[in-house]
Amino acid sequence: MGFLAFTAAALVVGIVLSLAGLSVWGDVVLAVGTIVALGPASWWVVSALRAGRLGVDAIAVLALVGTLAVREYLAGALIAVMLAGGRALEHYAMRRARRDLTALYERAPRSAHRYDRDGLRRLDVGEVSRGDLLLVPAGEMVPVDGVVSRCAALLDESALTGEALPVDYPVGESVRSGVVNVGPAFDLRATSTAEESAYAGVVRLAGEAEAGSAPVVRVADRFAAWFLPATLVLAGLAWVLSGEAVRAVAVLVVATPCPLLLAAPAAIASGLSRTARRAVVVKGGGALETLGRARTLVLDKTGTLTQGRPEVVDIVAAQGFSAREVLGLAASVDRMSAHVLAAAITQAADQRGAETVVAEGVHEQAGSGTTGSVDGRLVHVGKAPKGLDSAWMAAQRARAALDSAMTVWVSVDGSVAGLILLRDEVRADAARTLRRLRSAGIERVVMLTGDRAEVAESVAAVLGVDRVIAEQTPAQKVAVVREEAERAPTVMVGDGVNDAPALAAAQVGVAMGAHGSAASTQAADVVLTTDRLDRLADAMDVARRTRRIAVESAGIGIGLSVVAMVAAALGAIPPAGGALLQEAIDVAVILNALRALRPGRGTRLHVDAPTDALLHHFDREHATLRPALDLLREAADALDRPSAQALPLVRHVHDVLSSEILPHEQAEEQRLYPALSRLLRDPEATVTMSRAHAEISRLAARLARHVELAGTDGPRPEQIDDLRACLYGLHAVLTLHFAQEEEAYFSLTGRAE
C-alpha cells in the first residue's frame, strides 16, 4: 500500500505543479514517481525469471524506461500508479494463506505419566524412554508408541486412521501415539520415544508435503507467452518504420498489462466474497483459481462422505422383548457411562421415544461394557456375556458383519435381550453433491481412507465413486494425492489429523472445518465452516464462474489494448494519451470483472421459500417416522412366535401405518410433489416416487386385510408366510423410499443466501 500511495501522490503533485506553471518541477516529481516504480517492477521481473517464467511485468518495465527516455513523464507516472494499484489489488485478492502447521504442533502430546520408584510422576513427553511404564488416563492422548500393559484399552483412532468407531486393544497389543483413550485408564509400555512415534511422523510428513507444494501461476502470466513477444515486435516495427522512438514508447504504454493485472484480482476478490457468503473460507485467490480448474476430486470417507460419528441403525430384540424396550434399557445404563458409543445410544432413545429410568449401581469395565440395575433387573450393555451363544446370536453377528456395523449386546439378568447395531452413516447430501461436482467439471472421484476396505467399498457403492483406496496411512495418502495431481488439477477433501499431510500435498486442500480437526483446517486452502458437504459444490461453482470472468475480462482488456497498440504504432495516440486510454480500458475491465460479485446459476438448484418450507416440514416428519420402520421388521420377526403373541404387535404396526405413515405419504403426494414438479420444471420428476407411494398403499391394504382375517386368536398358519412377506416388503420399500426422498429432495434444504 505504501508503493501505491507514493506513486499516486507523485502523480497528483506533478500534475498540480504543471498546472500551476511549474512544469519543470512537475516533470521532476513525475519522473521520480516513474523511477521509484522501476525498482519493484524490475524485481518482479527478476523473481519471475528465477521461477522459470517471463511475466507481463516485463512490458511495464520497458514502458517505464521508454517514457523516461523520451521524457514522457506524465505517461510514466500514470503507468506507475496503474502498476502499483494492480499489484495492491492482486496482493489483497490473491495472497495465499501460509499453510502453517500450528494446530498439528498444538495437538501433539506434551506430557506423560510415568511410573517411578516414588510412584506416578508427570513429565515432559520428550523425557520418555523405551521401556518406560506409563499411565494413560481416560480422555488423554497416547503420548508415544507402545504396548498395552495392564487393563484393555478402548481408543479413538479417528485422528490417525479415519475410523469413526473406537477400537478395543487387549493387553499385549501395540498402539500408536496420537490416538485418544476413550475408556478407563490403562498402562502402556513405551516402545519408542516421542520423536520416533507415529504422531511425530505425521507432523514431519505434513511439513514435507507443504514444502513440496508448487505455487500457483497467475492468469496474467499465462497470457504473457504470446502477448509479450507480440508487443515487442509491434513496438520495434513502429520505431523502425517511422524512425520515431516515441511511437515505440506509445505502443509499450498502451500495451502495459494493467487489464491483466487488474482483471483477475478484481474478479477473484469478488469470488472470495461470494464463497464467504456460502460459509466457505478460501485462503487466497490462488486457491480459488485452482479450484476453478480442478478435474480430480479426492475425498476422505469418515466425516466427509459420512457423518463421522456412530449412529444407531437397527435394534434387534430377542424373544420376550421389544426393540423399544431393548433401546430403553441400554440407554438407562448408558446415561451414566463414559463410553464413546453411549451418546449414540442415548440419543437414539431420545429420538425414538424409548422409555428410560435412572439406573443404579452403574459400573463400567474396560473391554466388557457397562452394568447397572434398572427397575430391579441387572442390565449389561456391551459385549455379549461369556458363555452365552446361540444360533440366533450367530445369525445377528453375521448380519452385523454384512452391514459393516458395530454390535452392542444388551442382556438382562444374564440372558440376551437384544442387539443394537451402530454404523457411521453416509451423509444425506453426499450423492447430490458428487453429482453437482461432476456437472461442474470434476471428471474423476477417488475415495481415500484409512478405514477398512469393506466399509469403504460399501460407502463407495452407494455414491458411485471411480476409485476406492482403503487402509491407507498418512504417508500413503500423500503418495496417492501426488499421483493424482500429476494427472490433473486435484482437490483433496478431509477432516482429520491424518488428512493434514494429504491436504497440504494437494493443489487445493479442502477441510470440513465445522467438526474437523484444527490441524486439517490449518493445512487446507479452503475451509467449509458448516457441516455441509454441498458447500464444496457451491464453492466450485463460484470458482469456475470467477475464473471464467477473470479470463474473459483479461481477454477483453487485451483485445482493446491491441487495437490501441496498432493506433499508437501508426502515430494516432501519443504516450500520455495512451496512458489515459489505458486507464479507460482498466475501468471497463474492472466493471466487467465485478460481475463475479453477483450470484450465478451454477449447478445449485434454487429453491423458493414456500417449497423450502415444505421440504423442511416433511424432512422433520421423516425423523419422527423412522422408529415406525423398525416396528415393521420387529413385527415380521415376531411371527416366529405363537400367533397370539405376535397379533398385538402386528395390530400396532397396522395402527401406525394407518394413523401416521399413510397420511404422511398422502400429504407428500398432494402438497410436496406438485411443488417439486414446478421447481424442477418437469411433471415427470416425481413419478417414480409416486409409484412408491402406490406400492406402500397396496402393501398397507394387504396388511389391513391380514389383520381382519386374523381375528382374536392371531394369524392363521396359512397367513404367516404372506404376512411376513408383506411386513418385510413394507419395511424394504419404506426404507428405500425415505432414503431416496432424503437424498433427492430433502438435501435441497438450507440453501438460503
Side-chain angles (χ1 to χ4, degrees):
M1 292 303 294
F3 178 34
L4 175 60
F6 182 86
T7 54
L11 176 63
V12 172
V13 172
I15 292 175
V16 169
L17 289 173
S18 297
L19 292 175
L22 302 173
S23 57
V24 174
W25 287 106
D27 286 346
V28 169
V29 173
L30 293 173
V32 169
T34 305
I35 293 169
V36 167
L38 263 175
S42 300
W43 174 248
W44 298 334
V45 173
V46 171
S47 299
L49 289 172
R50 286 179 175 176
R53 64 182 190 274
L54 182 60
V56 291
D57 293 319
I59 300 175
V61 171
L62 293 175
L64 290 169
V65 172
T67 56
L68 291 172
V70 299
R71 299 184 178 182
E72 290 283 350
Y73 302 123
L74 176 60
L78 285 168
I79 293 172
V81 171
M82 290 187 293
L83 199 62
R87 185 62 62 152
L89 182 58
E90 184 177 37
H91 282 177
Y92 166 75
M94 305 211 34
R95 185 170 56 248
R96 192 184 183 103
R98 177 179 172 266
R99 293 170 172 175
D100 63 81
L101 305 176
T102 304
L104 276 174
Y105 291 112
E106 288 179 351
R107 187 186 181 278
R110 300 294 181 192
S111 61
H113 304 269
R114 186 174 67 189
Y115 289 102
D116 289 339
R117 292 179 180 177
D118 300 329
L120 197 63
R121 185 168 73 90
R122 189 183 183 94
L123 71 163
D124 185 89
V125 70
E127 299 179 43
V128 175
S129 303
R130 293 188 189 90
D132 285 350
L133 183 62
L134 310 175
L135 174 70
V136 183
E140 290 197 11
M141 188 181 299
V142 175
V144 297
D145 296 352
V147 174
V148 178
S149 179
R150 179 187 63 81
C151 185
L154 183 67
L155 303 176
D156 176 5
E157 297 188 321
S158 58
L160 292 184
T161 68
E163 170 60 69
L165 301 177
V167 181
D168 283 311
Y169 281 88
V171 173
E173 285 286 322
S174 298
V175 298
R176 293 175 290 179
S177 64
V179 300
V180 178
N181 178 19
V182 293
F186 69 93
D187 288 350
L188 178 80
R189 182 71 68 178
T191 58
S192 68
T193 64
E195 282 298 312
E196 299 166 339
S197 291
Y199 191 84
V202 173
V203 175
R204 286 193 298 271
L205 189 62
E208 293 165 5
E210 177 191 30
S213 298
V216 177
V217 179
R218 292 185 297 155
V219 171
D221 291 337
R222 289 196 282 273
F223 277 93
W226 64 269
F227 186 66
L228 176 58
T231 299
L232 295 177
V233 169
L234 185 59
L237 287 174
W239 191 353
V240 170
L241 295 178
S242 68
E244 299 177 7
V246 71
R247 290 197 183 186
V249 173
V251 170
L252 292 173
V253 168
V254 294
T256 300
C258 290
L260 290 177
L261 298 176
L262 294 172
I268 288 173
S270 302
L272 294 175
S273 175
R274 289 297 309 166
T275 57
R277 294 182 192 180
R278 303 301 302 161
V280 179
V281 176
V282 181
K283 299 178 182 178
L288 188 70
E289 183 192 347
T290 307
L291 186 64
R293 57 190 179 89
R295 290 291 178 270
T296 299
L297 179 66
V298 181
L299 297 132
D300 178 48
K301 178 187 73 68
T302 305
T304 302
L305 294 173
T306 65
Q307 298 290 347
R309 58 183 182 274
E311 295 181 353
V312 174
V313 293
D314 205 357
I315 303 134
V316 186
Q319 188 168 349
F321 294 89
S322 67
R324 185 167 297 190
E325 184 182 7
V326 170
L327 182 59
L329 290 169
S332 297
V333 173
D334 269 346
R335 287 197 192 280
M336 308 294 291
S337 170
H339 197 284
V340 70
L341 299 180
I345 292 174
T346 54
Q347 182 181 23
D350 293 338
Q351 291 175 343
R352 303 181 187 209
E355 184 180 351
T356 61
V357 299
V358 177
E360 298 176 350
V362 175
H363 171 69
E364 192 166 359
Q365 183 177 357
S368 175
T370 307
T371 303
S373 177
V374 179
D375 290 335
R377 294 183 292 178
L378 187 64
V379 177
H380 178 79
V381 182
K383 291 187 175 180
K386 293 181 179 180
L388 286 182
D389 205 358
S390 65
W392 181 83
M393 293 176 67
Q396 303 313 316
R397 289 192 182 97
R399 172 184 167 187
L402 290 171
D403 290 340
S404 299
M406 188 173 188
T407 58
V408 175
W409 295 90
V410 182
S411 60
V412 177
D413 293 331
S415 299
V416 172
L419 173 69
I420 299 175
L421 301 177
L422 300 100
R423 190 171 59 230
D424 186 16
E425 289 287 81
V426 176
R427 290 176 179 268
D429 62 341
R432 174 176 288 278
T433 300
L434 292 186
R435 290 195 297 270
R436 286 183 58 197
L437 290 169
R438 289 186 188 276
S439 298
I442 292 295
E443 299 169 354
R444 178 176 170 83
V445 179
V446 179
M447 182 193 292
L448 180 62
T449 179
D451 210 344
R452 292 172 291 135
E454 61 270 20
V455 176
E457 287 167 0
S458 66
V459 173
V462 173
L463 300 176
V465 303
D466 300 307
R467 184 186 181 194
V468 181
I469 310 173
E471 301 179 19
Q472 298 291 292
T473 64
Q476 290 171 324
K477 285 187 175 184
V478 170
V480 171
V481 170
R482 285 179 171 161
E483 176 189 339
E484 294 292 340
E486 289 175 0
R487 299 175 181 172
T490 298
V491 176
M492 166 71 189
V493 187
D495 78 323
V497 171
N498 62 315
D499 299 320
L503 292 175
Q507 281 134 320
V508 178
V510 180
M512 301 290 290
H515 297 294
S517 73
S520 64
T521 301
Q522 293 287 348
D525 303 286
V526 180
V527 180
L528 310 183
T529 60
T530 62
D531 193 30
R532 291 182 63 102
L533 183 61
D534 67 330
R535 298 308 188 201
L536 174 60
D538 291 342
M540 189 162 286
D541 284 342
V542 172
R544 292 193 184 282
R545 182 169 182 267
T546 297
R547 186 172 181 274
R548 184 176 67 252
I549 289 175
V551 173
E552 174 190 283
S553 299
I556 292 172
I558 289 299
L560 294 174
S561 294
V562 168
V563 173
M565 287 161 59
V566 172
L570 296 175
I573 303 176
L580 292 173
L581 178 60
Q582 189 60 257
E583 287 281 14
I585 293 173
D586 292 343
V587 171
V589 163
I590 290 174
L591 290 175
N592 186 68
L594 290 178
R595 290 189 300 115
L597 276 172
R598 298 198 301 268
R601 179 163 181 81
T603 59
R604 178 165 60 94
L605 184 64
H606 293 267
V607 182
D608 58 88
T611 305
D612 188 68
L614 281 175
L615 289 168
H616 275 291
H617 170 73
F618 286 105
D619 189 22
R620 288 191 296 268
E621 283 197 359
H622 265 207
T624 61
L625 290 174
R626 278 207 168 273
L629 304 188
D630 297 331
L631 286 174
L632 291 163
R633 181 192 288 272
E634 188 177 348
D637 293 342
L639 293 176
D640 292 331
R641 308 171 195 169
S643 295
Q645 295 181 17
L647 183 59
L649 189 53
V650 172
R651 283 180 171 166
H652 178 54
V653 167
H654 171 257
D655 292 341
V656 171
L657 277 169
S658 302
S659 62
E660 298 180 25
I661 293 179
L662 289 179
H664 166 82
E665 304 299 340
Q666 291 165 2
E668 284 184 334
E669 192 70 40
Q670 295 167 4
R671 298 172 57 198
L672 179 62
Y673 287 6
L676 289 172
S677 295
R678 289 192 298 271
L679 176 71
L680 301 171
R681 299 179 182 179
D682 182 4
E684 302 294 317
T686 59
V687 167
T688 54
M689 297 299 181
S690 295
R691 180 66 184 84
H693 283 171
E695 181 63 13
I696 292 166
S697 297
R698 186 189 71 81
L699 289 171
R702 193 178 189 91
L703 176 63
R705 181 60 179 155
H706 273 297
V707 172
E708 291 176 6
L709 293 173
T712 58
D713 297 329
R716 295 193 294 270
E718 62 270 19
Q719 287 184 257
I720 297 298
D721 289 342
D722 189 77
L723 178 56
R724 182 185 289 112
C726 181
L727 289 166
Y728 280 137
L730 272 168
H731 180 268
V733 173
L734 279 166
T735 300
L736 178 61
H737 181 64
F738 273 34
Q740 287 175 325
E741 286 188 325
E742 287 162 8
E743 177 187 314
Y745 303 145
F746 300 154
S747 61
L748 295 171
T749 59
R751 305 294 185 120
E753 289 286 343

